[in-house]
Amino acid sequence: MLAGKLYTLEQTLQEATDSATYRIVLNAQHPVFEGHFPGRPVVPGVTMMQTIQELLEGKLQRKVVLKKAGNMKFLNMIDPHAHPLIDVTVQHKEQEGEIKVTATLKFEELTFMKFQGSFVTAS
């Protein structure tokens, strides 16, 4: 779990039945940045996906696992020193046993990642 270690949930900016936008604060001192990359830290893509998954789990109040990453675009690197605040928007729709998800990580006008895919409830 990355919450409380790599990032802290600062606030929920918007919440509806099928979506939410969260503001997270990155911990630039987290050990992941020592190796990714020394002197030029960036948030690894896998941790961006894990953050989306954790926020979705909090919203749904159950564990989920990634089934399919249909479209995943990394548009800008996240330097935790330059961009410690990130807004994560997660929209979901449950259909045919899957949870269809669209998510973005951005701050103000700068988009870091876009994701479209599906999750299923963990067994």
Side-chain angles (χ1 to χ4, degrees):
M1 183 155 217
L2 300 176
K5 297 174 185 162
L6 178 71
Y7 71 89
T8 304
L9 178 60
E10 181 179 76
Q11 66 180 336
T12 301
L13 299 174
Q14 171 273 330
E15 190 163 20
T17 303
D18 61 354
S19 66
T21 300
Y22 307 95
R23 173 150 304 153
I24 62 171
V25 180
L26 296 172
N27 172 10
Q29 304 311 311
H30 190 276
V32 74
F33 298 119
E34 293 172 12
H36 204 272
F37 295 97
R40 178 118 162 82
V42 296
V43 176
V46 68
T47 61
M48 291 183 216
M49 276 305 306
Q50 180 70 27
T51 301
I52 291 168
Q53 180 176 338
E54 289 179 12
L55 293 170
L56 177 64
E57 289 175 337
K59 175 84 171 129
L60 298 175
Q61 293 296 295
R62 65 182 187 264
K63 293 285 186 189
V64 298
V65 292
L66 180 65
K67 181 176 180 183
K68 181 180 179 184
N71 191 355
M72 187 182 310
K73 294 182 181 181
F74 298 97
L75 303 168
N76 290 287
M77 291 187 288
I78 304 174
D79 177 333
H81 297 287
H83 304 288
L85 299 176
I86 306 295
D87 293 340
V88 183
T89 299
V90 181
Q91 299 173 311
H92 65 87
K93 179 179 182 179
E94 297 195 45
Q95 124 188 32
E96 299 175 10
E98 294 184 8
I99 306 158
K100 306 286 186 181
V101 174
T102 301
T104 59
L105 279 75
K106 63 188 291 185
F107 189 72
E108 296 177 347
E109 299 303 314
L110 184 60
T111 301
F112 301 108
M113 177 190 179
K114 292 182 178 182
F115 170 80
Q116 290 181 329
S118 61
F119 290 81
V120 294
T121 300
S123 40

